[in-house]
Amino acid sequence: MKKAVALLLVLTFVFAVAFTSFAADVKKTEAVQGTVTKIEGKKLTIKQADGKEVTVEVKNVKGIKVGDKVTVKDGIVKKEKGKEATPAPKKKKAVEGC
């Protein structure tokens, strides 16, 4: 009887670990879209369209700033084109003597 209980406990532990690692792999491959609200090292906090904030670790944050609309998949960040803030127009130089 003790062997059966021990075997059951071991199998339960093995399956729990297997399912947990499978769930973690699925989550890593999901794409996250939204607006960057916070940058800490290589971790981005992204506010999604439904209002949830998600923190993801990325490989490179170069060129990303707070307020950018991004998509993150497999640790790779892609800026969404046409969605970022428009830069201020350049001022023209004053022409003297006119």
Coordinates of all heavy atoms in Angstrom, one line a residue:
M1 N 0.8 -1.2 0.0 CA 0.0 0.0 0.0 C 0.9 1.3 0.0 O 0.5 2.2 -0.7 CB -0.9 0.0 1.2 CG -1.9 1.1 1.3 SD -3.1 1.0 0.0 CE -4.1 2.3 0.4
K2 N 1.9 1.2 0.8 CA 2.8 2.4 0.8 C 3.5 2.7 -0.5 O 3.7 3.8 -0.9 CB 3.9 2.2 1.9 CG 3.4 2.3 3.3 CD 4.5 2.2 4.3 CE 4.0 2.3 5.7 NZ 5.0 2.3 6.7
K3 N 3.8 1.6 -1.2 CA 4.5 1.7 -2.5 C 3.5 2.4 -3.5 O 3.9 3.2 -4.3 CB 4.9 0.4 -3.1 CG 6.2 -0.2 -2.4 CD 6.6 -1.4 -3.0 CE 7.8 -2.0 -2.3 NZ 8.3 -3.2 -2.9
A4 N 2.2 2.0 -3.5 CA 1.2 2.6 -4.4 C 1.0 4.1 -4.1 O 0.9 4.9 -5.0 CB -0.1 1.8 -4.2
V5 N 1.0 4.4 -2.8 CA 0.8 5.9 -2.5 C 2.1 6.6 -2.9 O 1.9 7.7 -3.5 CB 0.6 6.0 -1.0 CG1 0.6 7.5 -0.6 CG2 -0.8 5.4 -0.6
A6 N 3.2 6.1 -2.7 CA 4.5 6.8 -3.1 C 4.5 6.9 -4.6 O 4.9 8.0 -5.1 CB 5.7 6.0 -2.6
L7 N 4.1 5.9 -5.4 CA 4.1 5.9 -6.8 C 3.1 7.0 -7.3 O 3.4 7.8 -8.2 CB 3.8 4.6 -7.4 CG 3.8 4.5 -8.9 CD1 5.1 4.8 -9.5 CD2 3.3 3.1 -9.4
L8 N 2.0 7.0 -6.7 CA 1.0 8.0 -7.0 C 1.5 9.5 -6.8 O 1.3 10.3 -7.6 CB -0.3 7.8 -6.2 CG -1.5 8.7 -6.5 CD1 -1.9 8.5 -8.0 CD2 -2.6 8.5 -5.6
L9 N 2.2 9.7 -5.7 CA 2.7 11.0 -5.4 C 3.8 11.4 -6.4 O 3.8 12.5 -6.9 CB 3.3 11.0 -4.0 CG 2.3 11.1 -2.9 CD1 3.0 11.0 -1.5 CD2 1.5 12.4 -2.9
V10 N 4.7 10.5 -6.8 CA 5.7 10.7 -7.7 C 5.1 11.1 -9.1 O 5.5 12.0 -9.8 CB 6.7 9.5 -7.8 CG1 7.6 9.7 -9.0 CG2 7.5 9.4 -6.5
L11 N 4.1 10.3 -9.5 CA 3.5 10.5 -10.8 C 2.8 11.9 -10.9 O 2.8 12.6 -11.8 CB 2.5 9.4 -11.2 CG 3.2 8.1 -11.6 CD1 2.1 7.0 -11.8 CD2 4.0 8.2 -12.8
T12 N 2.1 12.2 -9.8 CA 1.4 13.5 -9.7 C 2.5 14.6 -9.8 O 2.2 15.6 -10.5 CB 0.7 13.6 -8.3 OG1 -0.2 12.5 -8.2 CG2 0.0 14.9 -8.2
F13 N 3.6 14.5 -9.1 CA 4.6 15.5 -9.2 C 5.2 15.7 -10.6 O 5.3 16.8 -11.1 CB 5.8 15.2 -8.2 CG 6.9 16.2 -8.2 CD1 6.8 17.4 -7.7 CD2 8.1 15.9 -8.9 CE1 7.8 18.3 -7.7 CE2 9.1 16.8 -9.0 CZ 9.0 18.0 -8.4
V14 N 5.5 14.6 -11.3 CA 6.0 14.6 -12.6 C 5.0 15.2 -13.6 O 5.4 16.1 -14.4 CB 6.4 13.1 -13.1 CG1 6.7 13.1 -14.6 CG2 7.5 12.6 -12.3
F15 N 3.8 14.9 -13.5 CA 2.8 15.5 -14.4 C 2.6 17.0 -14.1 O 2.4 17.8 -15.0 CB 1.4 14.8 -14.3 CG 1.4 13.5 -15.1 CD1 1.2 12.3 -14.4 CD2 1.7 13.4 -16.4 CE1 1.2 11.1 -15.1 CE2 1.7 12.2 -17.1 CZ 1.4 11.0 -16.5
A16 N 2.6 17.4 -12.8 CA 2.5 18.8 -12.5 C 3.6 19.6 -13.1 O 3.4 20.7 -13.6 CB 2.4 18.9 -11.0
V17 N 4.8 19.1 -13.0 CA 6.0 19.8 -13.5 C 5.9 19.9 -15.1 O 6.2 20.9 -15.7 CB 7.3 19.1 -13.1 CG1 8.5 19.7 -13.8 CG2 7.5 19.3 -11.6
A18 N 5.5 18.8 -15.7 CA 5.4 18.8 -17.1 C 4.3 19.8 -17.6 O 4.6 20.5 -18.6 CB 5.0 17.3 -17.6
F19 N 3.2 19.8 -17.0 CA 2.1 20.7 -17.4 C 2.5 22.2 -17.2 O 2.2 23.1 -18.0 CB 0.8 20.4 -16.7 CG 0.1 19.2 -17.3 CD1 -0.2 18.2 -16.5 CD2 -0.2 19.1 -18.6 CE1 -0.8 17.0 -17.0 CE2 -0.8 18.0 -19.2 CZ -1.1 16.9 -18.3
T20 N 3.2 22.4 -16.1 CA 3.7 23.8 -15.8 C 4.7 24.3 -16.8 O 4.6 25.4 -17.3 CB 4.3 23.9 -14.4 OG1 3.4 23.4 -13.4 CG2 4.7 25.3 -14.0
S21 N 5.6 23.5 -17.2 CA 6.6 23.9 -18.2 C 5.9 24.0 -19.6 O 6.3 24.9 -20.4 CB 7.7 22.9 -18.3 OG 7.3 21.6 -18.8
F22 N 4.9 23.2 -19.9 CA 4.2 23.4 -21.2 C 3.5 24.7 -21.2 O 3.5 25.4 -22.2 CB 3.3 22.2 -21.3 CG 2.4 22.3 -22.6 CD1 3.0 22.0 -23.8 CD2 1.1 22.7 -22.5 CE1 2.2 22.1 -25.0 CE2 0.4 22.8 -23.7 CZ 0.9 22.6 -24.9
A23 N 2.8 25.0 -20.1 CA 2.1 26.3 -20.0 C 3.0 27.5 -20.2 O 2.7 28.5 -20.8 CB 1.3 26.4 -18.7
A24 N 4.2 27.4 -19.6 CA 5.2 28.5 -19.7 C 5.7 28.7 -21.2 O 5.8 29.8 -21.6 CB 6.4 28.2 -18.8
D25 N 5.9 27.6 -21.9 CA 6.3 27.6 -23.3 C 5.2 28.3 -24.1 O 5.5 29.0 -25.0 CB 6.6 26.2 -23.8 CG 7.9 25.7 -23.2 OD1 8.7 26.5 -22.7 OD2 8.1 24.5 -23.3
V26 N 4.0 27.9 -23.9 CA 2.9 28.5 -24.7 C 2.8 30.0 -24.5 O 2.7 30.8 -25.4 CB 1.5 27.9 -24.3 CG1 0.4 28.6 -24.9 CG2 1.5 26.4 -24.7
K27 N 3.0 30.5 -23.3 CA 2.9 31.9 -23.0 C 4.1 32.7 -23.6 O 3.9 33.8 -24.0 CB 3.0 32.1 -21.4 CG 2.5 33.5 -21.0 CD 2.3 33.5 -19.5 CE 1.6 34.8 -19.2 NZ 0.8 34.8 -18.0
K28 N 5.2 32.1 -23.8 CA 6.4 32.8 -24.4 C 6.1 33.0 -25.9 O 6.7 34.0 -26.4 CB 7.6 32.0 -24.2 CG 8.2 32.0 -22.8 CD 9.5 31.2 -22.7 CE 10.0 31.1 -21.3 NZ 11.2 30.2 -21.2
T29 N 5.4 32.2 -26.5 CA 5.2 32.3 -28.0 C 4.0 33.3 -28.3 O 3.8 33.6 -29.5 CB 4.9 31.0 -28.6 OG1 3.8 30.4 -28.1 CG2 6.2 30.1 -28.4
E30 N 3.2 33.7 -27.3 CA 2.1 34.6 -27.6 C 2.6 36.0 -27.9 O 3.6 36.4 -27.3 CB 1.2 34.6 -26.4 CG 0.4 33.4 -26.1 CD -0.5 33.5 -24.9 OE1 -0.6 34.6 -24.3 OE2 -1.0 32.5 -24.5
A31 N 1.9 36.6 -28.8 CA 2.3 38.0 -29.2 C 1.6 39.0 -28.2 O 0.4 38.7 -27.9 CB 1.9 38.3 -30.6
V32 N 2.3 40.0 -27.8 CA 1.7 41.0 -26.9 C 1.7 42.3 -27.7 O 2.8 42.7 -28.2 CB 2.5 41.2 -25.6 CG1 1.9 42.3 -24.7 CG2 2.5 39.8 -24.8
Q33 N 0.6 43.0 -27.8 CA 0.5 44.3 -28.5 C 0.0 45.3 -27.5 O -0.9 45.1 -26.7 CB -0.5 44.2 -29.6 CG 0.0 43.5 -30.8 CD -1.0 43.6 -32.0 OE1 -2.1 43.2 -31.8 NE2 -0.5 44.0 -33.1
G34 N 0.5 46.5 -27.7 CA 0.0 47.6 -26.8 C 1.0 48.8 -26.8 O 1.9 48.9 -27.6
T35 N 0.8 49.7 -25.8 CA 1.6 50.9 -25.7 C 2.6 50.7 -24.5 O 2.2 50.2 -23.4 CB 0.7 52.1 -25.4 OG1 -0.3 52.1 -26.4 CG2 1.5 53.3 -25.3
V36 N 3.8 51.0 -24.7 CA 4.8 50.9 -23.7 C 4.6 51.9 -22.6 O 4.5 53.1 -22.9 CB 6.3 51.1 -24.3 CG1 7.3 51.0 -23.2 CG2 6.5 50.0 -25.3
T37 N 4.4 51.5 -21.3 CA 4.2 52.4 -20.2 C 5.4 52.5 -19.3 O 5.6 53.5 -18.6 CB 3.0 51.9 -19.4 OG1 3.2 50.6 -18.9 CG2 1.7 52.0 -20.2
K38 N 6.3 51.5 -19.4 CA 7.5 51.5 -18.5 C 8.6 50.7 -19.1 O 8.3 49.6 -19.7 CB 7.0 50.9 -17.1 CG 8.0 51.1 -16.0 CD 7.3 50.4 -14.8 CE 7.9 50.7 -13.5 NZ 7.2 50.0 -12.4
I39 N 9.8 51.1 -18.9 CA 11.0 50.4 -19.4 C 12.0 50.2 -18.2 O 12.4 51.3 -17.6 CB 11.7 51.1 -20.5 CG1 10.8 51.2 -21.7 CG2 13.0 50.3 -21.0 CD1 11.3 52.1 -22.8
E40 N 12.3 49.0 -17.8 CA 13.3 48.7 -16.7 C 14.3 47.7 -17.3 O 14.0 46.5 -17.3 CB 12.6 48.2 -15.5 CG 11.7 49.2 -14.8 CD 11.0 48.6 -13.6 OE1 10.8 47.3 -13.5 OE2 10.8 49.3 -12.6
G41 N 15.4 48.2 -17.7 CA 16.4 47.3 -18.2 C 15.9 46.7 -19.5 O 15.7 47.4 -20.5
K42 N 15.8 45.4 -19.5 CA 15.3 44.7 -20.7 C 13.8 44.2 -20.5 O 13.3 43.4 -21.2 CB 16.2 43.5 -21.1 CG 17.5 43.9 -21.6 CD 18.2 42.7 -22.1 CE 19.5 43.2 -22.8 NZ 20.2 42.1 -23.5
K43 N 13.1 44.8 -19.5 CA 11.7 44.5 -19.3 C 10.9 45.7 -19.7 O 11.1 46.8 -19.3 CB 11.5 44.1 -17.8 CG 12.1 42.8 -17.4 CD 11.8 42.5 -16.0 CE 12.5 41.1 -15.6 NZ 12.1 40.7 -14.3
L44 N 9.8 45.4 -20.5 CA 8.9 46.4 -20.9 C 7.5 46.1 -20.2 O 7.1 45.0 -20.2 CB 8.7 46.3 -22.4 CG 9.9 46.6 -23.3 CD1 9.4 46.5 -24.8 CD2 10.4 48.0 -23.1
T45 N 6.9 47.1 -19.8 CA 5.5 47.0 -19.3 C 4.7 47.6 -20.4 O 4.9 48.7 -20.8 CB 5.3 47.8 -18.0 OG1 6.2 47.3 -17.0 CG2 3.9 47.6 -17.5
I46 N 3.7 46.8 -20.9 CA 2.9 47.2 -22.0 C 1.4 47.2 -21.6 O 1.0 46.2 -21.0 CB 3.1 46.2 -23.2 CG1 4.6 46.2 -23.6 CG2 2.2 46.5 -24.3 CD1 5.0 45.2 -24.6
K47 N 0.7 48.3 -21.9 CA -0.7 48.3 -21.6 C -1.4 47.9 -22.9 O -1.3 48.6 -23.9 CB -1.1 49.8 -21.2 CG -2.5 49.9 -20.8 CD -2.8 51.2 -20.2 CE -4.2 51.3 -19.7 NZ -4.5 52.6 -19.0
Q48 N -2.2 46.8 -22.8 CA -2.9 46.3 -23.9 C -4.2 47.1 -24.2 O -4.6 47.8 -23.3 CB -3.2 44.8 -23.7 CG -1.9 44.0 -23.6 CD -2.2 42.5 -23.4 OE1 -3.0 42.2 -22.6 NE2 -1.4 41.7 -24.0
A49 N -4.9 46.8 -25.3 CA -6.1 47.5 -25.6 C -7.2 47.2 -24.6 O -8.1 48.1 -24.4 CB -6.6 47.0 -27.0
D50 N -7.2 46.1 -24.0 CA -8.2 45.8 -23.0 C -7.9 46.4 -21.6 O -8.7 46.2 -20.7 CB -8.4 44.2 -22.9 CG -7.2 43.5 -22.4 OD1 -6.1 44.1 -22.2 OD2 -7.2 42.3 -22.3
G51 N -6.8 47.1 -21.5 CA -6.5 47.8 -20.2 C -5.6 47.0 -19.3 O -5.1 47.6 -18.3
K52 N -5.3 45.8 -19.6 CA -4.4 45.0 -18.8 C -2.9 45.4 -19.1 O -2.6 45.7 -20.2 CB -4.5 43.5 -19.1 CG -5.8 42.9 -18.5 CD -5.7 41.4 -18.5 CE -5.6 40.8 -19.8 NZ -5.7 39.3 -19.8
E53 N -2.1 45.5 -18.0 CA -0.7 45.7 -18.2 C 0.1 44.4 -18.0 O -0.2 43.7 -17.1 CB -0.2 46.7 -17.1 CG -0.7 48.1 -17.4 CD 0.1 49.2 -16.7 OE1 0.9 48.8 -15.7 OE2 0.0 50.4 -17.0
V54 N 1.0 44.2 -19.0 CA 1.8 43.0 -19.0 C 3.2 43.4 -19.1 O 3.6 44.3 -19.8 CB 1.4 42.2 -20.3 CG1 2.2 40.9 -20.4 CG2 -0.1 41.9 -20.4
T55 N 4.0 42.7 -18.3 CA 5.5 42.9 -18.3 C 6.1 41.7 -19.0 O 5.9 40.6 -18.7 CB 6.0 43.0 -16.9 OG1 5.4 44.1 -16.2 CG2 7.5 43.3 -16.9
V56 N 7.0 42.1 -20.0 CA 7.6 41.1 -20.8 C 9.1 41.4 -20.9 O 9.5 42.5 -20.9 CB 7.1 40.9 -22.3 CG1 5.7 40.4 -22.2 CG2 7.1 42.3 -23.0
E57 N 9.9 40.3 -20.9 CA 11.4 40.5 -21.1 C 11.7 40.4 -22.6 O 11.2 39.5 -23.3 CB 12.1 39.5 -20.3 CG 13.6 39.8 -20.2 CD 14.3 39.0 -19.2 OE1 13.7 38.5 -18.2 OE2 15.6 38.9 -19.2
V58 N 12.5 41.3 -23.1 CA 12.9 41.4 -24.5 C 14.4 41.3 -24.6 O 15.1 41.5 -23.7 CB 12.3 42.6 -25.2 CG1 10.8 42.7 -25.1 CG2 12.9 43.9 -24.5
K59 N 14.8 41.0 -25.9 CA 16.2 40.9 -26.2 C 16.9 42.2 -26.3 O 18.0 42.4 -25.9 CB 16.4 40.0 -27.4 CG 15.9 38.6 -27.2 CD 16.0 37.8 -28.5 CE 15.5 36.4 -28.3 NZ 15.4 35.6 -29.5
N60 N 16.2 43.2 -26.9 CA 16.8 44.5 -27.2 C 15.8 45.6 -27.1 O 14.7 45.5 -27.8 CB 17.4 44.5 -28.6 CG 18.3 45.7 -28.9 OD1 18.4 46.6 -28.0 ND2 18.8 45.8 -30.0
V61 N 16.0 46.6 -26.3 CA 15.1 47.7 -26.2 C 15.6 49.0 -26.9 O 15.0 50.1 -26.8 CB 14.8 48.1 -24.7 CG1 14.1 47.0 -24.0 CG2 16.1 48.4 -24.0
K62 N 16.6 48.8 -27.7 CA 17.2 50.0 -28.5 C 16.1 50.6 -29.4 O 15.5 49.9 -30.2 CB 18.4 49.5 -29.3 CG 19.2 50.6 -29.9 CD 20.4 50.1 -30.6 CE 21.2 51.2 -31.1 NZ 22.4 50.7 -31.8
G63 N 15.9 51.9 -29.3 CA 15.0 52.6 -30.1 C 13.6 52.6 -29.6 O 12.7 53.2 -30.2
I64 N 13.3 52.0 -28.5 CA 12.0 51.9 -27.9 C 11.9 52.9 -26.8 O 12.8 53.0 -26.0 CB 11.7 50.5 -27.4 CG1 11.8 49.4 -28.4 CG2 10.3 50.4 -26.8 CD1 10.9 49.6 -29.6
K65 N 10.8 53.7 -26.7 CA 10.6 54.6 -25.6 C 9.2 54.5 -25.1 O 8.3 53.9 -25.8 CB 10.9 56.0 -26.1 CG 10.1 56.5 -27.2 CD 10.7 57.9 -27.7 CE 9.9 58.4 -28.9 NZ 10.0 57.7 -30.1
V66 N 8.9 55.1 -24.0 CA 7.6 55.1 -23.4 C 6.6 55.8 -24.3 O 7.0 56.9 -24.8 CB 7.6 55.7 -22.0 CG1 6.2 55.9 -21.4 CG2 8.5 54.9 -21.0
G67 N 5.5 55.2 -24.5 CA 4.5 55.8 -25.4 C 4.5 55.2 -26.8 O 3.5 55.4 -27.6
D68 N 5.5 54.4 -27.2 CA 5.5 53.7 -28.5 C 4.5 52.6 -28.5 O 4.3 51.9 -27.5 CB 6.9 53.1 -28.7 CG 7.9 54.2 -29.1 OD1 7.5 55.3 -29.5 OD2 9.1 53.8 -29.1
K69 N 3.9 52.4 -29.6 CA 3.0 51.2 -29.8 C 3.9 50.1 -30.4 O 4.5 50.3 -31.4 CB 1.9 51.6 -30.8 CG 1.1 52.8 -30.4 CD -0.4 52.4 -30.2 CE -1.1 53.6 -29.9 NZ -2.2 53.4 -29.0
V70 N 3.8 49.0 -29.7 CA 4.7 47.9 -30.1 C 4.0 46.5 -30.1 O 2.9 46.4 -29.6 CB 5.9 47.8 -29.1 CG1 6.8 49.0 -29.2 CG2 5.5 47.5 -27.7
T71 N 4.7 45.6 -30.7 CA 4.3 44.2 -30.7 C 5.5 43.4 -30.3 O 6.6 43.6 -30.8 CB 3.8 43.7 -32.1 OG1 2.7 44.5 -32.5 CG2 3.4 42.2 -32.0
V72 N 5.3 42.5 -29.3 CA 6.4 41.7 -28.8 C 6.0 40.2 -29.0 O 5.0 39.8 -28.5 CB 6.7 42.0 -27.3 CG1 7.8 41.1 -26.8 CG2 7.0 43.4 -27.0
K73 N 6.9 39.5 -29.6 CA 6.8 38.0 -29.8 C 8.1 37.4 -29.7 O 9.1 37.8 -30.4 CB 6.1 37.7 -31.1 CG 5.8 36.3 -31.3 CD 4.9 36.0 -32.5 CE 4.6 34.5 -32.5 NZ 3.8 34.1 -33.6
D74 N 8.2 36.4 -28.9 CA 9.5 35.6 -28.7 C 10.6 36.5 -28.3 O 11.8 36.3 -28.7 CB 9.9 34.9 -30.0 CG 8.8 33.8 -30.3 OD1 8.2 33.2 -29.4 OD2 8.7 33.5 -31.5
G75 N 10.3 37.6 -27.5 CA 11.4 38.5 -27.0 C 11.8 39.5 -28.0 O 12.8 40.2 -27.7
I76 N 11.2 39.6 -29.2 CA 11.6 40.5 -30.2 C 10.5 41.6 -30.3 O 9.3 41.4 -30.4 CB 11.7 39.9 -31.6 CG1 12.8 38.8 -31.5 CG2 12.1 40.9 -32.6 CD1 12.9 37.9 -32.7
V77 N 11.0 42.9 -30.2 CA 10.1 44.0 -30.2 C 10.0 44.6 -31.6 O 11.0 44.8 -32.2 CB 10.6 45.1 -29.2 CG1 9.6 46.3 -29.2 CG2 10.8 44.6 -27.8
K78 N 8.8 44.9 -32.0 CA 8.6 45.6 -33.3 C 7.7 46.8 -33.1 O 6.6 46.7 -32.5 CB 8.0 44.6 -34.3 CG 8.8 43.5 -34.7 CD 8.2 42.7 -35.8 CE 9.0 41.5 -36.2 NZ 8.4 40.6 -37.1
K79 N 8.2 47.9 -33.5 CA 7.4 49.2 -33.4 C 6.3 49.1 -34.5 O 6.6 48.7 -35.6 CB 8.3 50.4 -33.7 CG 8.8 51.0 -32.5 CD 9.5 52.3 -32.9 CE 9.9 53.2 -31.8 NZ 10.6 54.4 -32.3
E80 N 5.1 49.6 -34.2 CA 4.1 49.7 -35.2 C 4.3 51.0 -35.9 O 4.3 52.0 -35.3 CB 2.7 49.6 -34.5 CG 2.4 48.2 -33.9 CD 1.1 48.1 -33.3 OE1 0.2 49.0 -33.6 OE2 0.8 47.2 -32.5
K81 N 4.4 50.9 -37.2 CA 4.6 52.1 -38.0 C 3.3 52.9 -38.1 O 2.3 52.4 -38.2 CB 5.1 51.7 -39.4 CG 6.4 51.0 -39.3 CD 7.0 50.8 -40.6 CE 8.3 50.0 -40.4 NZ 9.3 50.3 -41.3
G82 N 3.5 54.3 -38.1 CA 2.4 55.2 -38.3 C 1.6 55.4 -37.0 O 0.7 56.2 -37.0
K83 N 2.0 54.7 -36.0 CA 1.2 54.9 -34.7 C 2.0 55.7 -33.7 O 1.4 56.0 -32.7 CB 0.9 53.5 -34.1 CG 0.3 52.5 -35.0 CD -1.2 52.6 -34.8 CE -1.9 51.6 -35.8 NZ -3.2 51.3 -35.5
E84 N 3.2 56.0 -34.0 CA 4.0 56.8 -33.0 C 3.7 58.3 -33.1 O 3.1 58.7 -34.1 CB 5.5 56.5 -33.2 CG 6.0 56.8 -34.5 CD 7.4 56.2 -34.8 OE1 7.5 54.9 -34.8 OE2 8.3 56.9 -35.0
A85 N 4.1 59.0 -32.1 CA 3.8 60.4 -32.1 C 4.5 61.1 -33.2 O 5.6 60.8 -33.6 CB 4.3 61.0 -30.8
T86 N 3.9 62.1 -33.8 CA 4.5 62.8 -34.9 C 5.4 63.9 -34.4 O 5.1 64.6 -33.4 CB 3.4 63.5 -35.8 OG1 2.6 64.4 -34.9 CG2 2.5 62.5 -36.5
P87 N 6.6 64.0 -34.9 CA 7.6 65.0 -34.4 C 7.1 66.4 -34.7 O 6.3 66.6 -35.7 CB 8.9 64.6 -35.2 CG 8.4 63.9 -36.4 CD 7.1 63.2 -36.1
A88 N 7.6 67.3 -33.9 CA 7.3 68.7 -34.2 C 7.9 69.2 -35.5 O 9.0 68.8 -35.8 CB 7.8 69.6 -33.0
P89 N 7.2 70.1 -36.2 CA 7.7 70.5 -37.5 C 9.0 71.4 -37.2 O 9.1 72.1 -36.2 CB 6.6 71.4 -38.1 CG 5.7 71.7 -36.9 CD 5.9 70.6 -35.9
K90 N 9.9 71.3 -38.2 CA 11.2 72.0 -38.0 C 10.9 73.5 -38.3 O 10.1 73.9 -39.2 CB 12.2 71.5 -39.0 CG 12.7 70.1 -38.8 CD 13.7 69.7 -39.8 CE 14.1 68.2 -39.5 NZ 15.1 67.8 -40.4
K91 N 11.6 74.3 -37.5 CA 11.4 75.8 -37.6 C 12.3 76.3 -38.8 O 13.4 75.8 -38.9 CB 11.8 76.5 -36.3 CG 10.8 76.2 -35.2 CD 11.2 77.0 -34.0 CE 10.3 76.7 -32.9 NZ 10.6 77.5 -31.7
K92 N 11.7 77.2 -39.5 CA 12.5 77.8 -40.6 C 13.4 78.8 -40.0 O 13.1 79.6 -39.1 CB 11.6 78.3 -41.7 CG 10.8 77.3 -42.4 CD 9.9 77.9 -43.4 CE 9.1 76.9 -44.1 NZ 8.2 77.4 -45.1
K93 N 14.6 79.0 -40.7 CA 15.5 80.0 -40.2 C 15.0 81.4 -40.7 O 14.5 81.5 -41.8 CB 16.9 79.8 -40.8 CG 17.6 78.5 -40.2 CD 19.0 78.4 -40.7 CE 19.6 77.1 -40.1 NZ 21.0 76.9 -40.6
A94 N 15.2 82.4 -39.9 CA 14.9 83.7 -40.3 C 15.9 84.2 -41.3 O 17.1 84.0 -41.2 CB 14.9 84.7 -39.1
V95 N 15.4 84.9 -42.4 CA 16.2 85.4 -43.4 C 16.4 86.9 -43.1 O 15.4 87.6 -43.0 CB 15.6 85.2 -44.8 CG1 16.5 85.8 -45.9 CG2 15.3 83.7 -45.0
E96 N 17.6 87.3 -43.0 CA 17.9 88.7 -42.8 C 18.0 89.5 -44.0 O 18.4 89.1 -45.1 CB 19.3 88.8 -42.0 CG 19.2 88.2 -40.7 CD 20.6 88.4 -39.9 OE1 21.3 89.4 -40.2 OE2 20.9 87.6 -39.1
G97 N 17.5 90.8 -43.9 CA 17.7 91.7 -45.1 C 16.5 91.7 -46.0 O 16.5 92.2 -47.1
C98 N 15.4 91.0 -45.7 CA 14.3 91.0 -46.6 C 13.2 92.0 -46.1 O 12.8 92.2 -45.1 CB 13.6 89.6 -46.7 SG 14.7 88.5 -47.5

